[in-house]
Structures are given as C-alpha cells and as structure tokens.
C-alpha cells in the first residue's frame, strides 16, 4: 500500500491506472475504520483491479456545534487496517489541501435533503457533495462504495452522479451490525455502557416496522407510531422516526414500492442513525 497526501500525487497515480485500463474501486471515509468500512473495502477489492481509500474528516460537512474537532481519529490503526484489507492507495490529505483559502464553487444539494439528517444537519449534504465531487475528480473511480447505514447519503450521491453525468458506478453495501443488531459506527464509542444496551432499540424498532409491513400494514402513520413507542423506552431523544420513498425521499400516504424506515436517536454524547429499506412487490399492492 502506498500513502499519499496531495491532490497532484493522487491524480498522477490514478491517471496512470486509467491509461493502463485498470478499474479503480474508491472507498471514501472519514477514518476511525470499523468493520462497516472494511466490508466496503472487501467488496471494492473483489470488483476492481485497484482499491483507493481516502481518509479525510471533512470540515465542510460539520455544522457549528457538531463534533468536527472531537470526531474520533486514529490514523496509525487505520493505516494498518487499510493495508490488511487490501487497499492499494491510501489518500490522507490535510484540510488545506482539499480546501484552498477561498472556494469559488461549493455544491448545493436541492433534493433529498429536506428530511431525516438533512433537516437536522443544515448544510451537511452540501459539504458531503462538495468533498465527494473533489474526491471523485481526484480518484477517477470506476466504482464507488458507500454503506447503506447512511442511506440518505447514498440517495444524495446517486443524485450527484446522475445529475453531473459522472461515469461512475455507485455500489451501495449493506449495513454491518454487531451481534445484538446495533449498526457499526465510529460514533458508537461515545455511548455509555447503559446507552450501548439501550441502543439496540433502534434496530429492534426497525425490525418491528418491517414485520408490521410484512403482516400487511400499509399506513405509514401506524408503523411510525409503533416504532416511536419502542424508541421512547430508551433514555435517548428521538430525532426522527420516519418513512419515505427511496431513493427520492418523498412522503407516502400508503406504503408501496421501495421505501425507507429511518430512525435517529440522540444519546448523551452520540446521535445514532439506522434504517431499513423495504420493497413491496407490485403484486402485493393493496387493492385500489
Ligand atoms: O460517510 C462518510 O464517512 C463521509 O460522509 C464521506 C462520504 C467520506 C464524505 O466525507
């Protein structure tokens, strides 16, 4: 594995790979790697000749009062994990490398962001779309790999690639979970022992919702109310428990087609998110 820090270096190296006709799988991350990230690397390794990973805690996607400074970082450990996972090129730029003193253009995401995390984290997805546009230009990926735990991010990246005619295949990868169901996340380290136990309620609530749908419930309000009921038993504060079409993220009067059940709960030092995507086949639609 080689590690590089500058835009020029990564562009030179990925241009060479392209000229050699090699496919490039790109895994953008903010580091503090866990099994969720490594599952993206594993898939990228399987699908491509070259695997590029970036580790960059992107200041632009953190709002005022969010955890940019405190975001967990451990570059030594990450380097080791990336190498063991089969990453060929690790890109670890400094903030000054990614953002010049004055930016001329910043991405502005117009759809799929007025709900869920986009609603409570104003400007977050503009920051994500900006840094990803830069990183995609640098890494020249054939395929990009994103975890479905951040399903709204996947929906935004889907729109970004489509709207800007990027010749990139988006590969969403299933959420990796602990044995008790909690989704792997860099922020899980912020949970106290008792919160860690309570946090299993998120996936329990989602599974309950999925079960109610499979039993035939088609009213989103009923499903949301029951999910909230489960989350309310924790000491956390519910940020949202919502259901929207996926990936468009539009409200639904009746559950049909492909949709997301998504939850976010704020514990004392960590805000956890999780979701489940469900697709009701056409032949199971309610009679009109
Ligand atoms: O999901 C993340 O870790 C970040 O949002 C990403 C995609 C690396 C952009 O900074």
């Amino acid at each position: 594995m080689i590690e590089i820090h500058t835009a020029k270096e990564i562009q030179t190296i990925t241009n060479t790979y392209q000229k050699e006709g090699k496919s490039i799988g790109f895994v953008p991350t903010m580091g503090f790697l866990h099994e969720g990230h490594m599952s993206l690397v594993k898939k990228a390794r399987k699908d491509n000749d070259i695997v590029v990973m970036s580790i960059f805690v992107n200041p632009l996607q953190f709002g005022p009062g969010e955890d940019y400074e405190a975001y967990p970082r451990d570059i030594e450990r990450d380097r080791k994990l990336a190498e063991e996972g089969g990453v060929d090129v690790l890109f670890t730029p400094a903030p000054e490398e990614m953002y010049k003193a004055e930016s001329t253009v910043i991405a502005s995401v117009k759809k799929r962001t007025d709900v869920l995390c986009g609603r409570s984290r104003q400007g977050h997805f503009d920051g994500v779309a900006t840094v990803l546009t830069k990183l995609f230009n640098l890494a020249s990926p054939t395929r990009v790999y994103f975890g479905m735990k951040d399903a709204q991010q996947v929906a935004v990246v889907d729109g970004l690639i489509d709207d800007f005619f990027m010749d990139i295949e988006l590969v969403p990868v299933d959420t990796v979970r602990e044995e008790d169901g909690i989704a792997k996340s860099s922020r899980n380290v912020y949970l106290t022992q008792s919160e860690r136990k309570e946090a299993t309620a998120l996936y329990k609530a989602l599974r309950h919702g999925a079960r109610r749908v499979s039993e035939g419930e088609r009213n989103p309000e009923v499903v949301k109310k029951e999910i909230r009921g489960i989350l309310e038993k924790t000491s956390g504060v519910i940020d949202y428990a919502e259901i929207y079409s996926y990936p468009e993220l539009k409200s639904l009067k009746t559950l049909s087609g492909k949709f997301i059940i998504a939850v976010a709960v704020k514990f004392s030092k960590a805000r956890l998110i999780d979701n489940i995507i469900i697709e009701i086949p056409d032949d199971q639609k309610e009679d009109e």
Side-chain angles (χ1 to χ4, degrees), residues 141-142 161 164-169:
T142 317
I161 289 176
F164 286 88
F165 308 107
M166 294 176 177
D167 190 10
I168 299 173
E169 186 188 334

Side-chain angles (χ1 to χ4, degrees), residues 28-30 58 61 131-132 146 153:
T29 80
M30 297 206 300
N58 173 31
Q61 69 189 72
V131 81
L132 287 179
F146 288 87
Q153 174 165 274

Side-chain angles (χ1 to χ4, degrees), residues 272-283:
L272 301 189
I273 59 170
D274 204 351
N275 71 79
I276 211 164
I277 307 270
I278 298 174
E279 191 157 7
I280 300 180
D282 274 354
D283 58 7

Side-chain angles (χ1 to χ4, degrees), residues 30 57-73 113 116-128 152-153 187 190 239-240 264 266 268-273:
M30 297 206 300
V57 184
N58 173 31
L60 211 63
Q61 69 189 72
F62 290 80
E66 287 188 0
D67 58 348
Y68 173 65
E69 301 294 345
Y71 193 83
R73 293 161 170 91
T113 55
L116 306 179
C117 294
R119 176 150 50 199
S120 48
R121 300 187 71 190
Q122 287 290 318
H124 168 71
F125 286 110
D126 292 352
V128 170
Q152 187 170 22
Q153 174 165 274
R187 290 190 170 97
Y190 294 147
D239 188 353
Y240 59 70
K266 278 186 199 152
S268 59
K269 288 208 183 78
R271 178 178 166 283
L272 301 189
I273 59 170

Side-chain angles (χ1 to χ4, degrees), residues 55-285:
I55 295 182
F56 178 63
V57 184
N58 173 31
L60 211 63
Q61 69 189 72
F62 290 80
E66 287 188 0
D67 58 348
Y68 173 65
E69 301 294 345
Y71 193 83
R73 293 161 170 91
D74 190 345
I75 189 64
E76 289 301 326
R77 188 175 154 273
D78 286 352
R79 219 171 253 140
K80 199 162 161 278
L81 285 173
E83 176 137 43
E84 284 169 7
V87 170
D88 299 296
V89 180
L90 182 64
F91 179 50
T92 54
E96 312 76 70
E97 184 67 19
M98 293 302 286
Y99 296 106
K100 306 285 173 221
E102 276 180 36
S103 298
T104 310
V105 181
I106 295 285
S108 167
V109 185
K110 298 291 178 201
K111 288 213 162 87
R112 306 182 179 183
T113 55
D114 55 343
V115 296
L116 306 179
C117 294
R119 176 150 50 199
S120 48
R121 300 187 71 190
Q122 287 290 318
H124 168 71
F125 286 110
D126 292 352
V128 170
T130 302
V131 81
L132 287 179
T133 304
K134 288 169 184 261
L135 289 169
F136 290 175
N137 280 333
L138 295 175
S140 305
T142 317
R143 301 181 185 87
V144 287
Y145 294 79
F146 288 87
M148 278 305 287
K149 184 174 84 67
D150 297 311
Q152 187 170 22
Q153 174 165 274
V154 174
V156 168
V157 177
D158 171 65
L160 175 72
I161 289 176
D162 200 38
D163 285 359
F164 286 88
F165 308 107
M166 294 176 177
D167 190 10
I168 299 173
E169 186 188 334
L170 169 61
V171 185
V173 178
D174 285 347
T175 302
V176 178
R177 300 181 179 282
E178 307 280 359
E179 261 178 36
D180 59 5
I182 183 171
K184 300 246 180 197
S185 162
S186 305
R187 290 190 170 97
N188 290 348
V189 294
Y190 294 147
L191 295 169
T192 64
Q193 249 181 357
S194 61
E195 287 174 343
R196 174 65 190 74
K197 281 196 193 122
E198 289 180 342
T200 55
L202 275 80
Y203 192 48
K204 267 190 211 135
L206 293 171
R207 279 205 325 250
H208 174 82
R211 193 167 51 247
R212 297 290 286 115
V213 174
S214 73
E215 285 165 3
E217 182 56 65
R218 293 292 179 267
N219 183 341
E221 298 310 319
V222 171
V223 179
K224 283 195 270 185
K225 194 162 172 247
E226 292 183 16
I227 287 175
R228 280 188 160 271
I230 295 171
L231 297 176
E232 270 159 10
K233 291 194 187 119
T234 72
S235 62
V237 177
I238 302 173
D239 188 353
Y240 59 70
E242 298 290 356
I243 304 182
Y244 295 109
S245 64
Y246 192 83
E248 302 79 8
L249 300 182
K250 297 215 163 110
S251 298
L252 294 166
K253 285 205 172 72
T254 304
L255 297 177
S256 67
K258 193 171 175 182
F259 56 90
I260 182 170
I261 309 181
V263 294
V265 176
K266 278 186 199 152
F267 288 96
S268 59
K269 288 208 183 78
R271 178 178 166 283
L272 301 189
I273 59 170
D274 204 351
N275 71 79
I276 211 164
I277 307 270
I278 298 174
E279 191 157 7
I280 300 180
D282 274 354
D283 58 7
Q284 277 183 33
K285 268 189 186 160

